[in-house]
Amino acid sequence: MDSDDENVEEVVEGPLDEDGQPHGFCTVTYSSSDRFEGHFTHGEKNGKGKFFFFDGSTLEGFYVDDALQGQGVYTYEDGAILNGTYVDGELNGPAQELDGEGRLVFKGQYKDNIRCGECWVYYPDGGCVFGEVNDDGEMTGDSIAYIYPDSRTALHGSFVDGELIKARLATVTSNQAGRPRFEIAPNSPLYSYDKSTSTCIATHALLPDPYENQRVFVMDSTIKGAGQGLFAKMDTEADTVMAFYNGVRITHTEVDSRDWALNGNTISVDEDTVIDVPPPWDQTDRYCASLGHKANHSFAPNCKYDTFVHPRFGPIKCIRTLTAVQKDDELTVAYGYNHQSAEKNGLEAPDWYKRELEVFQQKEGGTPSGQ
């Protein structure tokens, strides 16, 4: 994060002392194209200053005898920020890191520029990993925990570089001074990293997710002809993750090249991957490790699809509430079908969806653009 010691000063803009050294506020540009703007005393950085590195990152803080001391702010080229404590130019002490959108992604300690001690790694979806990092600063060990977005449900056990190896269900019983305590559930099954492939939906297809299992259940939908639906087990506030959408991983090309009737349980994860829950895994007696695929469409949904980094399933989608929901409410989402293209080719959708669309159009007097 600092300019290389071998850098040769090429250009100095600002006052010089009698020996030709920077003295006062100067801008020094090095042969590496790094640039420093700040206060100098006889050639040494002293006072406020800021490095501008060739890759677009910056480092700002207070320098004493040519070394950064105290609080410093390192800004990555993508806008992410590390707020840390520096001793003699190296990170030593408390630090926090924010992503390019200003969301907290790390909180903990550094020693000699390496993460140390108990640390937190946060995901944008609300989940996090807590534990003591190893000598390389990695979240690796036998007493690491993934904590779900409710800050209470956890998987506690063995992780390697933040990835779940094997863990048991636990409850966060307290969180004093930023240090949580965990109570392992009696007779808890073992959970492990189980990212799906194009042919295997899950190694343990009938092992429910413990967080989801507290919040949702499946029964016949209140929407005529829609089959089963997803329902809330408890009163829940808006912006709450309720369920997870895992499935086999296939490509967009495969989805686009087959009959639309085979795509009833597909959802795009990113530009490369689509998640699918095909038969027989759409039946809960064959697969119930996640239930997000059971949510039906509504033109006035109370939930939405969102991205989620799951400790078992990896990058998937989740069902997140848009509004407060009550116990036994059916959870609905907007499927995002393209009605504009359907005007030319006919809408490719289940019959129950077409009936719901007709009712909606009669009420609203128009055609929704993409719900």
Side-chain angles (χ1 to χ4, degrees):
M1 294 181 185
D2 208 337
S3 193
D4 187 78
D5 291 338
E6 300 298 321
N7 274 331
V8 177
E9 296 175 6
E10 284 192 336
V11 179
V12 177
E13 300 177 49
L16 306 177
D17 63 10
E18 60 274 12
D19 295 322
Q21 298 296 314
H23 189 70
F25 186 86
C26 297
T27 298
V28 178
T29 303
Y30 301 90
S31 58
S32 63
S33 298
D34 294 341
R35 184 177 84 255
F36 181 84
E37 296 180 0
H39 292 269
F40 288 81
T41 302
H42 300 300
E44 292 188 337
K45 305 177 197 72
N46 274 284
K48 289 184 178 180
K50 185 174 184 178
F51 262 110
F52 297 84
F53 299 110
F54 71 93
D55 62 0
S57 61
T58 63
L59 177 61
E60 183 174 10
F62 196 89
Y63 289 79
V64 177
D65 297 335
D66 227 26
L68 184 58
Q69 304 284 357
Q71 294 300 303
V73 179
Y74 183 81
T75 304
Y76 296 85
E77 56 270 27
D78 65 355
I81 293 174
L82 189 160
N83 293 300
T85 306
Y86 289 80
V87 177
D88 296 332
E90 295 189 332
L91 276 167
N92 280 281
Q96 288 190 350
E97 297 179 36
L98 310 175
D99 67 12
E101 298 182 23
R103 298 171 298 201
L104 184 66
V105 295
F106 172 81
K107 182 172 67 175
Q109 301 276 331
Y110 273 82
K111 182 178 180 181
D112 298 333
N113 292 328
I114 298 175
R115 293 176 179 179
C116 69
E118 293 180 337
C119 297
W120 295 81
V121 174
Y122 300 91
Y123 297 114
D125 51 49
C128 63
V129 179
F130 170 82
E132 185 169 346
V133 299
N134 64 9
D135 291 341
D136 295 322
E138 299 171 340
M139 197 70 80
T140 298
D142 295 328
S143 187
I144 308 291
Y146 171 84
I147 303 175
Y148 284 89
D150 64 351
S151 301
R152 178 171 173 79
T153 308
L155 298 178
H156 185 275
S158 299
F159 287 70
V160 172
D161 199 15
E163 184 175 294
L164 173 65
I165 301 301
K166 59 180 181 179
R168 297 187 184 277
L169 175 62
T171 300
V172 180
T173 57
S174 66
N175 194 356
Q176 298 178 351
R179 189 182 190 283
R181 296 177 182 272
F182 300 95
E183 181 178 324
I184 308 299
N187 303 316
S188 165
L190 276 176
Y191 299 88
S192 59
Y193 190 66
D194 196 12
K195 184 178 178 180
S196 63
T197 67
S198 61
T199 56
C200 179
I201 193 168
T203 304
H204 302 287
L206 297 178
L207 177 61
D209 179 86
Y211 174 93
E212 180 185 71
N213 195 43
Q214 298 170 21
R215 285 164 175 76
V216 299
F217 65 97
V218 174
M219 62 177 290
D220 288 342
S221 174
T222 59
I223 303 171
K224 185 178 179 180
Q228 293 182 322
L230 193 65
F231 294 80
K233 278 187 177 180
M234 61 175 69
D235 294 348
T236 306
E237 297 179 350
D239 197 31
T240 300
V241 174
M242 298 294 285
F244 304 110
Y245 201 134
N246 181 51
V248 295
R249 294 172 190 266
I250 57 179
T251 66
H252 287 273
T253 301
E254 183 175 349
V255 171
D256 294 340
S257 64
R258 67 189 188 182
D259 189 275
W260 70 267
L262 299 175
N263 296 329
N265 282 330
T266 57
I267 188 169
S268 175
V269 175
D270 52 41
E271 61 183 11
D272 298 317
T273 306
V274 175
I275 281 180
D276 185 20
V277 186
W281 310 115
D282 56 345
Q283 303 300 311
T284 53
D285 61 348
R286 297 294 302 274
Y287 176 77
C288 60
S290 65
L291 299 173
H293 60 284
K294 290 295 184 179
N296 285 316
H297 170 88
S298 171
F299 291 101
N302 54 20
C303 294
K304 66 176 182 177
Y305 295 121
D306 205 356
T307 57
F308 199 90
V309 180
H310 195 278
R312 280 174 67 190
F313 308 129
I316 57 170
K317 287 294 182 74
C318 69
I319 305 291
R320 185 185 294 272
T321 55
L322 288 168
T323 63
V325 298
Q326 295 182 330
K327 181 182 177 182
D328 297 328
D329 281 353
E330 182 164 7
L331 304 179
T332 56
V333 292
Y335 279 1
Y337 289 154
N338 190 337
H339 299 132
Q340 293 178 338
S341 64
E343 293 177 2
K344 296 181 179 180
N345 306 315
L347 180 62
E348 294 183 337
D351 289 340
W352 66 265
Y353 180 97
K354 294 177 181 178
R355 289 193 297 269
E356 291 293 309
L357 174 60
E358 184 177 353
V359 172
F360 177 81
Q361 289 174 332
Q362 290 174 352
K363 288 182 178 179
E364 300 296 322
T367 301
S369 60
Q371 292 196 69

